[in-house]
Amino acid sequence: MIRRFSAAAFAAALLTPGLAACNSTGTGEAGASASPTVAGSIAPSGASPGTGDAKQALLNSTNEIRNGNFRFTMSGAGSTAEGQVHEPSQSAEMRVTIGDASSDLMMKLDLIHSKPDSWVKVELGGKSASSIPGVQKLNLGKYQHLDQTRIKGNRALGFDFEKVDPAGSAVLTQGVTEVRQTGDGMYAGTLDVSRAAEAGSVDPTVITALGAQAKSVPFTAKLDPQGRLSEMVVQVPAAGQSAAQDIKITYSDYGNATAAQKPPVDQVVEAPPEFYNLFN
């Protein structure tokens, strides 16, 4: 799951209560920036030999994310997101799809951040799209230029270049309670999603629905040849109204992302009040 980058609409629209585990309340990367060697973070008591080394490898694997130069994808609950963060140019971009044409409401967002500006183009579809208040005034065919004073602290539209992890993976790895290496650069185990929620990485309503299961949610992870996190899959069990689902996060092109391209001037309009209301 800008405040952390996943907060850029993926968390707000995709990760709604009961839909997914990796929520973005905006504090996840702050927790992720903590030292990966905090006391008690290695292995639970009674863990099998080697667990500590595996846990430390996972903790270390998220260090490069904080440098803010990578591409990523996220998927879960029938929604997807992909994009890149490029800290050298203070820019980032993200494309999000929530639902599909058969859904009551389908939303696509194309978000671009180039400090100090932000833009987003929204496409709405589905049977309920026309009933959204003020939809006729949204000028959906163009990029909406966002007033930074109106999106400050908004987990749907804001971006904090000091907290660039799109899914709070560093926080998630700190919540690992058991892990074993299953192959070259491959790991599996369980994590305590309630611990991750303290840093804003998991939707509290999902944790409540999971009950005791929240203490040991299965996950798998893959590291690239340089020991950097390339994939993490959190296997959220069925709980309450929610079916079982996999939340998948991937990272790639470390150090090789490019600056986000600002939208053409003739494709930009100032976002009207109705636009901000859509995300509040």
Side-chain angles (χ1 to χ4, degrees):
M1 237 142 104
I2 45 196
R3 315 171 51 184
R4 205 175 59 228
F5 194 40
S6 61
F10 188 66
L14 165 98
L15 304 174
T16 51
L19 286 184
C22 294
N23 160 312
S24 270
T25 60
T27 57
E29 180 62 12
S33 65
S35 169
T37 57
V38 292
S41 67
I42 301 302
S45 59
S48 58
T51 296
D53 291 341
K55 174 70 178 287
Q56 192 62 55
L58 286 179
L59 291 170
N60 293 342
S61 75
T62 64
N63 290 342
E64 185 65 23
I65 296 172
R66 291 194 291 273
N67 289 332
N69 192 327
F70 56 84
R71 301 181 191 277
F72 66 89
T73 69
M74 295 183 284
S75 64
S79 301
T80 62
E82 64 175 355
Q84 65 172 355
V85 177
H86 191 250
E87 176 67 23
S89 64
Q90 293 279 277
S91 68
E93 57 186 322
M94 187 177 197
R95 292 162 298 282
V96 183
T97 301
I98 302 107
D100 55 36
S102 64
S103 304
D104 284 343
L105 179 62
M106 181 273 291
M107 180 183 292
K108 292 184 178 180
L109 302 103
D110 183 355
L111 286 138
I112 300 174
H113 299 279
S114 184
K115 198 173 182 179
D117 293 299
S118 297
W119 305 264
V120 61
K121 182 162 66 173
V122 179
E123 177 184 340
L124 296 174
K127 294 177 290 186
S128 301
S130 60
S131 64
I132 293 176
V135 67
Q136 298 85 358
K137 299 180 180 180
L138 296 182
N139 205 341
L140 298 178
K142 294 194 174 185
Y143 283 90
Q144 313 282 326
H145 179 255
L146 301 174
D147 181 345
Q148 296 297 314
T149 64
R150 300 191 68 167
I151 65 172
K152 186 176 182 180
N154 186 311
R155 72 190 184 106
L157 301 172
F159 188 90
D160 186 342
F161 282 98
E162 295 181 1
K163 303 170 185 177
V164 295
D165 185 350
S169 295
V171 175
L172 291 176
T173 58
Q174 289 179 13
V176 167
T177 53
E178 182 274 327
V179 61
R180 62 193 181 280
Q181 186 167 359
T182 58
D184 187 13
M186 302 176 67
Y187 299 85
T190 58
L191 59 86
D192 181 350
V193 295
S194 64
R195 287 178 58 186
E198 294 172 5
S201 298
V202 180
D203 192 323
T205 62
V206 172
I207 296 171
T208 299
L210 287 172
Q213 294 182 92
K215 298 292 185 181
S216 57
V217 173
F219 80 94
T220 60
K222 296 179 181 178
L223 311 188
D224 68 12
Q226 288 73 44
R228 303 169 299 197
L229 185 65
S230 61
E231 178 186 292
M232 189 170 191
V233 180
V234 182
Q235 299 158 348
V236 183
Q241 301 288 322
S242 303
Q245 60 192 283
D246 287 352
I247 307 302
K248 183 177 180 180
I249 307 154
T250 71
Y251 300 92
S252 62
D253 288 341
Y254 285 105
N256 294 312
T258 56
Q261 298 299 305
K262 299 179 181 180
V265 174
D266 62 355
Q267 291 297 310
V268 174
V269 296
E270 286 298 322
E274 291 81 4
F275 184 86
Y276 297 101
N277 293 338
L278 181 64
F279 291 90
N280 289 332

mmCIF file of all heavy atoms in Angstrom, residues 23-71:
data_model
loop_
_atom_site.group_PDB
_atom_site.id
_atom_site.type_symbol
_atom_site.label_atom_id
_atom_site.label_comp_id
_atom_site.label_asym_id
_atom_site.label_seq_id
_atom_site.Cartn_x
_atom_site.Cartn_y
_atom_site.Cartn_z
ATOM 1 N N ASN A 23 -3.064 -1.293 3.106
ATOM 2 C CA ASN A 23 -3.660 0.029 3.081
ATOM 3 C C ASN A 23 -2.572 1.078 3.216
ATOM 4 O O ASN A 23 -1.497 0.796 3.636
ATOM 5 C CB ASN A 23 -4.676 0.087 4.219
ATOM 6 C CG ASN A 23 -5.056 1.456 4.660
ATOM 7 O OD1 ASN A 23 -4.213 2.296 4.891
ATOM 8 N ND2 ASN A 23 -6.321 1.654 4.834
ATOM 9 N N SER A 24 -2.855 2.312 2.813
ATOM 10 C CA SER A 24 -1.908 3.405 2.974
ATOM 11 C C SER A 24 -2.542 4.514 3.759
ATOM 12 O O SER A 24 -3.233 5.305 3.187
ATOM 13 C CB SER A 24 -1.548 3.998 1.646
ATOM 14 O OG SER A 24 -0.507 3.451 1.034
ATOM 15 N N THR A 25 -2.290 4.599 5.018
ATOM 16 C CA THR A 25 -2.795 5.727 5.771
ATOM 17 C C THR A 25 -1.781 6.844 5.808
ATOM 18 O O THR A 25 -2.023 7.887 6.375
ATOM 19 C CB THR A 25 -3.118 5.312 7.214
ATOM 20 O OG1 THR A 25 -1.931 4.836 7.837
ATOM 21 C CG2 THR A 25 -4.179 4.240 7.230
ATOM 22 N N GLY A 26 -0.625 6.602 5.209
ATOM 23 C CA GLY A 26 0.328 7.686 5.090
ATOM 24 C C GLY A 26 1.467 7.610 6.063
ATOM 25 O O GLY A 26 2.326 8.465 6.067
ATOM 26 N N THR A 27 1.538 6.569 6.899
ATOM 27 C CA THR A 27 2.626 6.514 7.864
ATOM 28 C C THR A 27 3.509 5.308 7.642
ATOM 29 O O THR A 27 4.453 5.074 8.357
ATOM 30 C CB THR A 27 2.071 6.440 9.293
ATOM 31 O OG1 THR A 27 1.210 5.304 9.393
ATOM 32 C CG2 THR A 27 1.304 7.696 9.629
ATOM 33 N N GLY A 28 3.211 4.517 6.621
ATOM 34 C CA GLY A 28 3.928 3.260 6.446
ATOM 35 C C GLY A 28 5.410 3.438 6.234
ATOM 36 O O GLY A 28 6.223 2.790 6.866
ATOM 37 N N GLU A 29 5.805 4.318 5.332
ATOM 38 C CA GLU A 29 7.228 4.428 5.049
ATOM 39 C C GLU A 29 7.975 5.072 6.188
ATOM 40 O O GLU A 29 9.166 4.835 6.369
ATOM 41 C CB GLU A 29 7.431 5.212 3.749
ATOM 42 C CG GLU A 29 8.887 5.378 3.368
ATOM 43 C CD GLU A 29 9.583 4.067 3.106
ATOM 44 O OE1 GLU A 29 8.939 3.042 2.995
ATOM 45 O OE2 GLU A 29 10.823 4.080 3.017
ATOM 46 N N ALA A 30 7.302 5.864 6.989
ATOM 47 C CA ALA A 30 7.984 6.418 8.147
ATOM 48 C C ALA A 30 8.445 5.292 9.046
ATOM 49 O O ALA A 30 9.553 5.284 9.560
ATOM 50 C CB ALA A 30 7.046 7.350 8.914
ATOM 51 N N GLY A 31 7.586 4.308 9.196
ATOM 52 C CA GLY A 31 7.984 3.147 9.972
ATOM 53 C C GLY A 31 9.054 2.362 9.250
ATOM 54 O O GLY A 31 9.964 1.807 9.844
ATOM 55 N N ALA A 32 8.952 2.321 7.912
ATOM 56 C CA ALA A 32 9.904 1.547 7.148
ATOM 57 C C ALA A 32 11.290 2.152 7.216
ATOM 58 O O ALA A 32 12.277 1.468 7.001
ATOM 59 C CB ALA A 32 9.455 1.475 5.683
ATOM 60 N N SER A 33 11.365 3.432 7.503
ATOM 61 C CA SER A 33 12.672 4.070 7.523
ATOM 62 C C SER A 33 13.429 3.798 8.816
ATOM 63 O O SER A 33 14.572 4.175 8.958
ATOM 64 C CB SER A 33 12.518 5.581 7.344
ATOM 65 O OG SER A 33 11.821 6.142 8.442
ATOM 66 N N ALA A 34 12.773 3.133 9.740
ATOM 67 C CA ALA A 34 13.464 2.783 10.971
ATOM 68 C C ALA A 34 14.566 1.779 10.688
ATOM 69 O O ALA A 34 14.558 1.090 9.683
ATOM 70 C CB ALA A 34 12.467 2.202 11.971
ATOM 71 N N SER A 35 15.516 1.692 11.584
ATOM 72 C CA SER A 35 16.615 0.760 11.397
ATOM 73 C C SER A 35 16.098 -0.659 11.310
ATOM 74 O O SER A 35 15.261 -1.083 12.092
ATOM 75 C CB SER A 35 17.587 0.854 12.579
ATOM 76 O OG SER A 35 18.508 -0.202 12.533
ATOM 77 N N PRO A 36 16.568 -1.465 10.320
ATOM 78 C CA PRO A 36 16.095 -2.821 10.176
ATOM 79 C C PRO A 36 16.660 -3.762 11.213
ATOM 80 O O PRO A 36 16.425 -4.951 11.154
ATOM 81 C CB PRO A 36 16.578 -3.205 8.758
ATOM 82 C CG PRO A 36 17.800 -2.379 8.567
ATOM 83 C CD PRO A 36 17.511 -1.081 9.268
ATOM 84 N N THR A 37 17.429 -3.260 12.150
ATOM 85 C CA THR A 37 18.008 -4.142 13.155
ATOM 86 C C THR A 37 17.481 -3.830 14.540
ATOM 87 O O THR A 37 18.170 -3.989 15.529
ATOM 88 C CB THR A 37 19.542 -4.020 13.148
ATOM 89 O OG1 THR A 37 19.900 -2.644 13.363
ATOM 90 C CG2 THR A 37 20.112 -4.469 11.824
ATOM 91 N N VAL A 38 16.230 -3.354 14.605
ATOM 92 C CA VAL A 38 15.663 -3.056 15.901
ATOM 93 C C VAL A 38 15.588 -4.310 16.745
ATOM 94 O O VAL A 38 15.425 -5.407 16.244
ATOM 95 C CB VAL A 38 14.253 -2.441 15.745
ATOM 96 C CG1 VAL A 38 14.335 -1.082 15.117
ATOM 97 C CG2 VAL A 38 13.346 -3.340 14.918
ATOM 98 N N ALA A 39 15.713 -4.118 18.054
ATOM 99 C CA ALA A 39 15.738 -5.261 18.942
ATOM 100 C C ALA A 39 14.480 -6.092 18.790
ATOM 101 O O ALA A 39 13.377 -5.572 18.697
ATOM 102 C CB ALA A 39 15.860 -4.777 20.382
ATOM 103 N N GLY A 40 14.651 -7.416 18.764
ATOM 104 C CA GLY A 40 13.520 -8.311 18.696
ATOM 105 C C GLY A 40 12.970 -8.487 17.302
ATOM 106 O O GLY A 40 11.959 -9.159 17.125
ATOM 107 N N SER A 41 13.620 -7.919 16.296
ATOM 108 C CA SER A 41 13.041 -7.981 14.965
ATOM 109 C C SER A 41 13.512 -9.191 14.172
ATOM 110 O O SER A 41 13.057 -9.408 13.070
ATOM 111 C CB SER A 41 13.408 -6.719 14.177
ATOM 112 O OG SER A 41 14.799 -6.687 13.927
ATOM 113 N N ILE A 42 14.432 -9.969 14.724
ATOM 114 C CA ILE A 42 15.000 -11.026 13.912
ATOM 115 C C ILE A 42 14.151 -12.291 13.934
ATOM 116 O O ILE A 42 13.460 -12.592 12.994
ATOM 117 C CB ILE A 42 16.446 -11.346 14.374
ATOM 118 C CG1 ILE A 42 17.282 -10.061 14.249
ATOM 119 C CG2 ILE A 42 17.047 -12.440 13.532
ATOM 120 C CD1 ILE A 42 17.322 -9.480 12.870
ATOM 121 N N ALA A 43 14.115 -12.993 14.986
ATOM 122 C CA ALA A 43 13.392 -14.257 14.980
ATOM 123 C C ALA A 43 12.630 -14.438 16.276
ATOM 124 O O ALA A 43 13.104 -14.071 17.345
ATOM 125 C CB ALA A 43 14.376 -15.417 14.805
ATOM 126 N N PRO A 44 11.418 -14.994 16.206
ATOM 127 C CA PRO A 44 10.668 -15.260 17.422
ATOM 128 C C PRO A 44 11.309 -16.364 18.222
ATOM 129 O O PRO A 44 12.052 -17.184 17.694
ATOM 130 C CB PRO A 44 9.292 -15.681 16.876
ATOM 131 C CG PRO A 44 9.582 -16.219 15.501
ATOM 132 C CD PRO A 44 10.738 -15.437 14.996
ATOM 133 N N SER A 45 11.018 -16.392 19.522
ATOM 134 C CA SER A 45 11.591 -17.452 20.345
ATOM 135 C C SER A 45 11.123 -18.793 19.828
ATOM 136 O O SER A 45 9.987 -18.964 19.401
ATOM 137 C CB SER A 45 11.153 -17.259 21.801
ATOM 138 O OG SER A 45 9.748 -17.290 21.903
ATOM 139 N N GLY A 46 12.015 -19.760 19.846
ATOM 140 C CA GLY A 46 11.672 -21.088 19.378
ATOM 141 C C GLY A 46 11.791 -21.236 17.876
ATOM 142 O O GLY A 46 11.439 -22.263 17.326
ATOM 143 N N ALA A 47 12.266 -20.199 17.173
ATOM 144 C CA ALA A 47 12.377 -20.278 15.732
ATOM 145 C C ALA A 47 13.454 -21.270 15.345
ATOM 146 O O ALA A 47 14.419 -21.501 16.078
ATOM 147 C CB ALA A 47 12.712 -18.901 15.161
ATOM 148 N N SER A 48 13.302 -21.869 14.180
ATOM 149 C CA SER A 48 14.258 -22.857 13.727
ATOM 150 C C SER A 48 15.565 -22.184 13.343
ATOM 151 O O SER A 48 15.596 -20.999 13.024
ATOM 152 C CB SER A 48 13.697 -23.597 12.512
ATOM 153 O OG SER A 48 13.402 -22.679 11.464
ATOM 154 N N PRO A 49 16.685 -22.924 13.361
ATOM 155 C CA PRO A 49 17.973 -22.351 12.987
ATOM 156 C C PRO A 49 17.904 -21.739 11.591
ATOM 157 O O PRO A 49 17.307 -22.300 10.673
ATOM 158 C CB PRO A 49 18.912 -23.575 13.023
ATOM 159 C CG PRO A 49 18.260 -24.516 13.985
ATOM 160 C CD PRO A 49 16.783 -24.320 13.793
ATOM 161 N N GLY A 50 18.505 -20.587 11.442
ATOM 162 C CA GLY A 50 18.531 -19.927 10.151
ATOM 163 C C GLY A 50 17.426 -18.912 9.952
ATOM 164 O O GLY A 50 17.470 -18.119 9.027
ATOM 165 N N THR A 51 16.407 -18.946 10.822
ATOM 166 C CA THR A 51 15.313 -18.003 10.673
ATOM 167 C C THR A 51 15.811 -16.571 10.789
ATOM 168 O O THR A 51 15.388 -15.692 10.037
ATOM 169 C CB THR A 51 14.217 -18.284 11.728
ATOM 170 O OG1 THR A 51 13.662 -19.564 11.494
ATOM 171 C CG2 THR A 51 13.126 -17.237 11.654
ATOM 172 N N GLY A 52 16.719 -16.341 11.745
ATOM 173 C CA GLY A 52 17.246 -15.000 11.933
ATOM 174 C C GLY A 52 17.938 -14.489 10.691
ATOM 175 O O GLY A 52 17.750 -13.336 10.295
ATOM 176 N N ASP A 53 18.740 -15.322 10.044
ATOM 177 C CA ASP A 53 19.419 -14.910 8.823
ATOM 178 C C ASP A 53 18.414 -14.598 7.719
ATOM 179 O O ASP A 53 18.572 -13.641 6.975
ATOM 180 C CB ASP A 53 20.368 -16.016 8.347
ATOM 181 C CG ASP A 53 21.548 -16.193 9.288
ATOM 182 O OD1 ASP A 53 21.821 -15.268 10.081
ATOM 183 O OD2 ASP A 53 22.188 -17.259 9.238
ATOM 184 N N ALA A 54 17.361 -15.412 7.610
ATOM 185 C CA ALA A 54 16.351 -15.182 6.585
ATOM 186 C C ALA A 54 15.612 -13.873 6.844
ATOM 187 O O ALA A 54 15.346 -13.098 5.923
ATOM 188 C CB ALA A 54 15.370 -16.357 6.536
ATOM 189 N N LYS A 55 15.263 -13.628 8.102
ATOM 190 C CA LYS A 55 14.565 -12.390 8.444
ATOM 191 C C LYS A 55 15.455 -11.187 8.151
ATOM 192 O O LYS A 55 14.992 -10.183 7.592
ATOM 193 C CB LYS A 55 14.178 -12.411 9.919
ATOM 194 C CG LYS A 55 13.554 -11.109 10.460
ATOM 195 C CD LYS A 55 12.165 -10.860 9.901
ATOM 196 C CE LYS A 55 11.554 -9.580 10.497
ATOM 197 N NZ LYS A 55 11.135 -9.732 11.887
ATOM 198 N N GLN A 56 16.715 -11.271 8.500
ATOM 199 C CA GLN A 56 17.614 -10.150 8.253
ATOM 200 C C GLN A 56 17.772 -9.893 6.762
ATOM 201 O O GLN A 56 17.856 -8.744 6.314
ATOM 202 C CB GLN A 56 18.974 -10.396 8.892
ATOM 203 C CG GLN A 56 19.861 -9.158 8.926
ATOM 204 C CD GLN A 56 19.251 -8.036 9.754
ATOM 205 O OE1 GLN A 56 18.916 -8.223 10.925
ATOM 206 N NE2 GLN A 56 19.070 -6.860 9.135
ATOM 207 N N ALA A 57 17.800 -10.963 5.971
ATOM 208 C CA ALA A 57 17.897 -10.796 4.518
ATOM 209 C C ALA A 57 16.688 -10.032 3.986
ATOM 210 O O ALA A 57 16.822 -9.157 3.115
ATOM 211 C CB ALA A 57 18.003 -12.156 3.842
ATOM 212 N N LEU A 58 15.510 -10.334 4.526
ATOM 213 C CA LEU A 58 14.304 -9.618 4.100
ATOM 214 C C LEU A 58 14.353 -8.148 4.532
ATOM 215 O O LEU A 58 14.001 -7.248 3.766
ATOM 216 C CB LEU A 58 13.058 -10.288 4.672
ATOM 217 C CG LEU A 58 12.632 -11.606 4.029
ATOM 218 C CD1 LEU A 58 11.392 -12.142 4.732
ATOM 219 C CD2 LEU A 58 12.360 -11.426 2.543
ATOM 220 N N LEU A 59 14.767 -7.917 5.764
ATOM 221 C CA LEU A 59 14.878 -6.540 6.245
ATOM 222 C C LEU A 59 15.842 -5.744 5.369
ATOM 223 O O LEU A 59 15.564 -4.611 4.962
ATOM 224 C CB LEU A 59 15.339 -6.523 7.693
ATOM 225 C CG LEU A 59 14.339 -7.058 8.736
ATOM 226 C CD1 LEU A 59 15.024 -7.214 10.086
ATOM 227 C CD2 LEU A 59 13.141 -6.127 8.859
ATOM 228 N N ASN A 60 16.978 -6.338 5.068
ATOM 229 C CA ASN A 60 17.979 -5.651 4.247
ATOM 230 C C ASN A 60 17.488 -5.420 2.817
ATOM 231 O O ASN A 60 17.907 -4.470 2.156
ATOM 232 C CB ASN A 60 19.275 -6.455 4.215
ATOM 233 C CG ASN A 60 19.965 -6.502 5.570
ATOM 234 O OD1 ASN A 60 19.672 -5.694 6.445
ATOM 235 N ND2 ASN A 60 20.869 -7.455 5.739
ATOM 236 N N SER A 61 16.600 -6.296 2.347
ATOM 237 C CA SER A 61 16.163 -6.232 0.955
ATOM 238 C C SER A 61 15.372 -4.972 0.644
ATOM 239 O O SER A 61 15.213 -4.608 -0.525
ATOM 240 C CB SER A 61 15.312 -7.463 0.610
ATOM 241 O OG SER A 61 14.006 -7.372 1.177
ATOM 242 N N THR A 62 14.853 -4.298 1.667
ATOM 243 C CA THR A 62 14.049 -3.095 1.433
ATOM 244 C C THR A 62 14.870 -1.804 1.501
ATOM 245 O O THR A 62 14.334 -0.724 1.254
ATOM 246 C CB THR A 62 12.898 -3.010 2.453
ATOM 247 O OG1 THR A 62 13.436 -2.853 3.773
ATOM 248 C CG2 THR A 62 12.027 -4.257 2.408
ATOM 249 N N ASN A 63 16.143 -1.914 1.829
ATOM 250 C CA ASN A 63 16.962 -0.703 1.994
ATOM 251 C C ASN A 63 17.013 0.134 0.719
ATOM 252 O O ASN A 63 16.943 1.364 0.757
ATOM 253 C CB ASN A 63 18.380 -1.079 2.427
ATOM 254 C CG ASN A 63 18.436 -1.616 3.848
ATOM 255 O OD1 ASN A 63 17.513 -1.408 4.637
ATOM 256 N ND2 ASN A 63 19.499 -2.327 4.177
ATOM 257 N N GLU A 64 17.150 -0.518 -0.427
ATOM 258 C CA GLU A 64 17.305 0.210 -1.676
ATOM 259 C C GLU A 64 16.041 0.980 -2.062
ATOM 260 O O GLU A 64 16.112 1.997 -2.760
ATOM 261 C CB GLU A 64 17.693 -0.764 -2.798
ATOM 262 C CG GLU A 64 17.998 -0.118 -4.142
ATOM 263 C CD GLU A 64 19.239 0.770 -4.108
ATOM 264 O OE1 GLU A 64 20.094 0.575 -3.230
ATOM 265 O OE2 GLU A 64 19.346 1.660 -4.975
ATOM 266 N N ILE A 65 14.887 0.520 -1.580
ATOM 267 C CA ILE A 65 13.637 1.211 -1.896
ATOM 268 C C ILE A 65 13.692 2.657 -1.430
ATOM 269 O O ILE A 65 13.193 3.571 -2.098
ATOM 270 C CB ILE A 65 12.441 0.480 -1.256
ATOM 271 C CG1 ILE A 65 12.293 -0.924 -1.871
ATOM 272 C CG2 ILE A 65 11.147 1.271 -1.434
ATOM 273 C CD1 ILE A 65 11.255 -1.787 -1.180
ATOM 274 N N ARG A 66 14.323 2.877 -0.283
ATOM 275 C CA ARG A 66 14.355 4.222 0.288
ATOM 276 C C ARG A 66 15.159 5.209 -0.552
ATOM 277 O O ARG A 66 15.055 6.417 -0.361
ATOM 278 C CB ARG A 66 14.886 4.170 1.721
ATOM 279 C CG ARG A 66 13.925 3.485 2.685
ATOM 280 C CD ARG A 66 14.315 3.738 4.121
ATOM 281 N NE ARG A 66 15.548 3.078 4.500
ATOM 282 C CZ ARG A 66 15.610 1.824 4.951
ATOM 283 N NH1 ARG A 66 14.512 1.103 5.045
ATOM 284 N NH2 ARG A 66 16.762 1.305 5.300
ATOM 285 N N ASN A 67 15.962 4.694 -1.499
ATOM 286 C CA ASN A 67 16.696 5.595 -2.386
ATOM 287 C C ASN A 67 15.791 6.211 -3.444
ATOM 288 O O ASN A 67 16.181 7.157 -4.136
ATOM 289 C CB ASN A 67 17.855 4.860 -3.055
ATOM 290 C CG ASN A 67 18.971 4.555 -2.077
ATOM 291 O OD1 ASN A 67 19.166 5.280 -1.095
ATOM 292 N ND2 ASN A 67 19.697 3.471 -2.320
ATOM 293 N N GLY A 68 14.581 5.662 -3.607
ATOM 294 C CA GLY A 68 13.587 6.293 -4.464
ATOM 295 C C GLY A 68 13.899 6.295 -5.944
ATOM 296 O O GLY A 68 13.707 7.314 -6.611
ATOM 297 N N ASN A 69 14.356 5.162 -6.464
ATOM 298 C CA ASN A 69 14.623 5.073 -7.896
ATOM 299 C C ASN A 69 14.300 3.645 -8.343
ATOM 300 O O ASN A 69 15.154 2.777 -8.333
ATOM 301 C CB ASN A 69 16.081 5.424 -8.187
ATOM 302 C CG ASN A 69 16.345 5.639 -9.671
ATOM 303 O OD1 ASN A 69 15.732 5.004 -10.518
ATOM 304 N ND2 ASN A 69 17.277 6.530 -9.985
ATOM 305 N N PHE A 70 13.052 3.417 -8.739
ATOM 306 C CA PHE A 70 12.603 2.059 -9.075
ATOM 307 C C PHE A 70 11.248 2.116 -9.762
ATOM 308 O O PHE A 70 10.563 3.144 -9.757
ATOM 309 C CB PHE A 70 12.498 1.200 -7.811
ATOM 310 C CG PHE A 70 11.612 1.790 -6.751
ATOM 311 C CD1 PHE A 70 10.232 1.604 -6.764
ATOM 312 C CD2 PHE A 70 12.157 2.577 -5.728
ATOM 313 C CE1 PHE A 70 9.416 2.170 -5.800
ATOM 314 C CE2 PHE A 70 11.343 3.148 -4.755
ATOM 315 C CZ PHE A 70 9.969 2.951 -4.795
ATOM 316 N N ARG A 71 10.868 0.986 -10.337
ATOM 317 C CA ARG A 71 9.524 0.788 -10.860
ATOM 318 C C ARG A 71 8.817 -0.228 -9.966
ATOM 319 O O ARG A 71 9.473 -1.031 -9.301
ATOM 320 C CB ARG A 71 9.559 0.308 -12.311
ATOM 321 C CG ARG A 71 10.268 1.289 -13.245
ATOM 322 C CD ARG A 71 10.274 0.802 -14.696
ATOM 323 N NE ARG A 71 11.168 1.618 -15.502
ATOM 324 C CZ ARG A 71 10.840 2.779 -16.046
ATOM 325 N NH1 ARG A 71 9.607 3.235 -15.878
ATOM 326 N NH2 ARG A 71 11.713 3.467 -16.757
#
